[in-house]
Amino acid sequence: MDTTVDGTTPGRGAEPVRLDPFGRDQHAENARLRAAGPAVLVELPGGVVVWAITHHDTLQALLADPRVGKNAQLWTTFREGRLPPGWPLLNFVTVPGMVTADGEDHRRLRGLVSQAFTPRRIADLAPAIEARTVALLDAVAELDGPFDLREHFAYPLPMQVIGELLGLALEQQDALHELSDTLVSSSATPEAAIAAQQGLFALLGAVVAAKRAEPGDDLTTDLIAARESGDRLSEAELVGTLLLMLVAGHETTLNLITNAVRALLAHPDQLRLVLDGEQPWSAVVEETLRYDSPVGQFPLRYATEDIEVGDVVIRRGEALLASYAAAGRDAGHHPDADRFDLTRQPNRHLSLGHGPHFCLGSGLARLEAETALRHLFGRFPGLTLAEGAEPEPITSFVSNSVRTLRVTV
Ligand code: HEM
């Protein structure tokens, strides 16, 4: 696969670093990338070359830079049809909706959904989130011996919450989760990536048809109504928006809860600070977001003109990867960055994004994670990691967490 990179601009002489599609040790890989500079050429699966933005300050600036857009038509490699068939990251680039839109288009798409995420609406969800958390912990308490906290607690909580917001039936949720796991994987085979995309669109299309026939009190029904009254969402945008809400609404929070429990169990002195009331649960959530960002790297953005970054120039039409996990451990911004430290002040991370595409669900994610951690450790203060092998990472550099987290209560 050829690239848009010409090998003549300063900083381009070096071979691009090949990113491990399995994300086996993201923090070690990120340390190498940060050392190479704030903007580093990396090779994604399929030989696609993009700029990874790995330093906090540079990432913050580029996320809000009007010369950087998200519409895939801005990317020369995409526009010229040079991506390999079944490219595993294609969905991130092409899904119709706010995450791939700029300017007025972005404001329209985001505006339609944002009414569901006002601070007031989120606060209203608190009692339901508490009740679901308690019910899941009741079920966990019945389990015999060590269990996978990710499967039994960290996954069902955010999935049930977003499922209820969108009006999805319980039996639809597991099927959607499996497909969405393949979708966020950067190592899926082309066949699996295509099948997952088709499966998700088919399932969500069926959800839309069912809600159209029988409207409910949920976000899907509201989005259909918004579309039909003002003709503001096309059918593709409607399904794309549901897909985005579903994937963004559970994969990330699932990782956040898992990563927070893992970090606390590995740092008992920090856990003690919270259990003794010296630090709030919100400090655990913020420090976990920085230290072990649930979104490792997010594809993609595109330069609409040449942009100088340090001693390299990102050319118009080239793509950028937002390296959130790398920025979180940037010692140039966060002193002693590899240390999990709940007393860190200030703790201004970028792990929920920045600029016009700042995470729409940040309030919900924070509420869910805080509620989950408070109840989990309140009920099982002696929670420990189960004996056995080190947990394996998720096979993705987009999603940053472990596949299982076996614990004993
Ligand atoms: C710990 C949990 C979460 C993390 C770490 C997270 C992280 C992020 C990040 C980094 C972005 C920016 C992506 C980019 O353009 O580079 C983003 C955008 C977004 N997030 Fe989240 N997110 C979380 C939870 C949620 C939840 C619960 C929802 C919804 C229910 C949600 C919905 C969205 C949406 C819709 C966008 C796109 C916004 C736009 O393009 O304007 N996220 N999120």
Side-chain angles (χ1 to χ4, degrees), residues 115-197:
Q115 300 133 25
F117 291 91
T118 58
R120 168 92 192 276
R121 282 281 193 107
I122 300 303
D124 286 350
L125 293 173
I129 294 174
E130 298 256 348
R132 286 190 184 284
T133 306
V134 171
L136 286 167
L137 291 176
D138 285 345
V140 156
E142 298 291 312
L143 295 172
D144 216 7
F147 66 94
D148 179 6
L149 184 103
R150 190 172 165 91
E151 180 188 342
H152 292 279
F153 185 60
Y155 156 60
L157 180 64
M159 183 46 131
Q160 288 174 10
V161 172
I162 193 70
E164 189 174 304
L165 258 176
L166 295 177
L168 303 173
L170 266 180
E171 59 275 13
Q172 291 169 329
Q173 295 178 7
D174 284 345
L176 287 166
H177 172 60
E178 254 180 54
L179 293 166
S180 113
D181 261 0
T182 309
L183 205 76
V184 296
S185 167
S186 46
S187 56
T189 61
E191 297 74 28
I194 292 169
Q197 193 216 40

Side-chain angles (χ1 to χ4, degrees), residues 38 71 95 127 154 159 167 202 252 261 286 330 349 355 381 388 401:
N71 182 331
V95 62
M159 183 46 131
T252 48
V261 173
E286 297 313 311
D330 177 4
H349 57 76
S401 188

Side-chain angles (χ1 to χ4, degrees), residues 4-67:
T4 56
V5 175
D6 60 13
T8 56
T9 309
R12 285 161 190 251
E15 278 290 294
V17 181
R18 194 171 169 271
L19 276 196
D20 178 6
F22 295 100
R24 272 169 289 218
D25 192 350
Q26 287 202 38
H27 292 302
E29 190 171 59
N30 287 337
R32 288 193 293 275
L33 293 176
R34 270 193 314 270
V40 186
L41 284 176
V42 294
E43 185 186 319
L44 305 181
V48 176
V49 174
V50 303
W51 292 95
I53 312 301
T54 63
H55 289 197
H56 177 104
D57 295 341
T58 311
L59 180 59
Q60 182 170 8
L62 288 174
L63 290 174
D65 192 321
R67 295 171 299 172

Side-chain angles (χ1 to χ4, degrees), residues 63 70 97-101 106 110 113 117 158 162 165 241 244-257 289 293-295 298-301 322 324 350-354 356-362 364-366 368-369:
L63 290 174
K70 291 201 89 180
M98 73 185 95
V99 82
T100 54
H106 175 251
R110 187 168 165 125
V113 187
F117 291 91
I162 193 70
L165 258 176
T241 299
L244 172 64
M245 302 310 297
L246 176 83
V247 176
H250 89 282
E251 293 281 355
T252 48
T253 314
L254 155 63
N255 288 351
L256 174 59
I257 297 171
L289 283 165
S293 175
V295 178
F298 198 80
L300 284 174
R301 286 173 163 72
Y324 291 113
L350 299 171
S351 298
L352 291 162
H354 176 72
H357 293 272
F358 177 74
C359 178
L360 187 59
S362 61
L364 178 60
R366 285 175 162 137
E368 284 181 38

Side-chain angles (χ1 to χ4, degrees), residues 165-166 211-212 214-227 242:
L165 258 176
L166 295 177
K211 292 288 170 193
R212 194 169 276 138
E214 207 173 312
D217 181 15
D218 50 57
L219 185 56
T220 306
T221 303
D222 290 351
L223 288 173
I224 294 171
R227 175 176 175 267
L242 290 180

Side-chain angles (χ1 to χ4, degrees), residues 264-288:
L264 287 172
L265 296 184
H267 300 86
D269 58 320
Q270 299 298 303
L271 175 57
R272 189 70 359 250
L273 289 179
V274 206
L275 294 181
D276 289 348
E278 288 177 37
Q279 287 296 323
W281 286 106
S282 58
V284 178
V285 171
E286 297 313 311
E287 180 61 348
T288 305

